[in-house]
Amino acid sequence: MIFSSARTEGDYGYGAMADRMLELAAQQEGFLGLESAREDIGITVSYWASEEAIKNWKQNAEHLEAQRLGHESWYSEFKVRVAKVERAYGF
């Protein structure tokens, strides 16, 4: 799952919630890992074992609250893309 976003000014608890969401996601069945970067636009790529695991994460109660706060306070815009990784390699 790829989450890209543009932030609003100010933290408003964003940093603490981002840390909590990573901690919580890591506890979810099917979570495989996460990569994130932020400059003008933030991009977070989370890896999941199945689409069902992604759907379960989207419905997690704490994650729903973070989504609500994101809509209201933290993001001026965002996009979510669900994609399947067919192959990965590197060094």
Side-chain angles (χ1 to χ4, degrees):
M1 181 167 58
I2 305 163
F3 178 77
S4 58
S5 63
R7 287 283 321 277
T8 56
E9 294 293 322
D11 184 78
Y12 305 107
Y14 176 83
M17 183 65 83
D19 291 343
R20 174 63 183 147
M21 289 300 100
L22 176 55
E23 176 185 325
L24 186 61
Q27 297 170 10
Q28 302 303 299
E29 184 174 336
F31 179 77
L32 301 174
L34 182 138
E35 299 169 329
S36 185
R38 176 162 290 283
E39 288 277 334
D40 295 330
I41 295 174
I43 300 174
T44 299
V45 180
S46 59
Y47 301 95
W48 299 86
S50 66
E51 193 165 349
E52 181 180 354
I54 294 169
K55 289 177 184 176
N56 291 338
W57 169 239
K58 184 166 175 48
Q59 294 305 311
N60 176 282
E62 283 187 71
H63 187 215
L64 286 169
E65 176 64 6
Q67 291 172 58
R68 183 187 68 76
L69 291 169
H71 287 241
E72 291 178 2
S73 302
W74 297 325
Y75 303 117
S76 58
E77 63 180 280
F78 69 88
K79 292 180 183 170
V80 175
R81 298 166 185 90
V82 177
K84 185 176 181 180
V85 176
E86 296 290 338
R87 180 180 14 204
Y89 54 90
F91 65 94

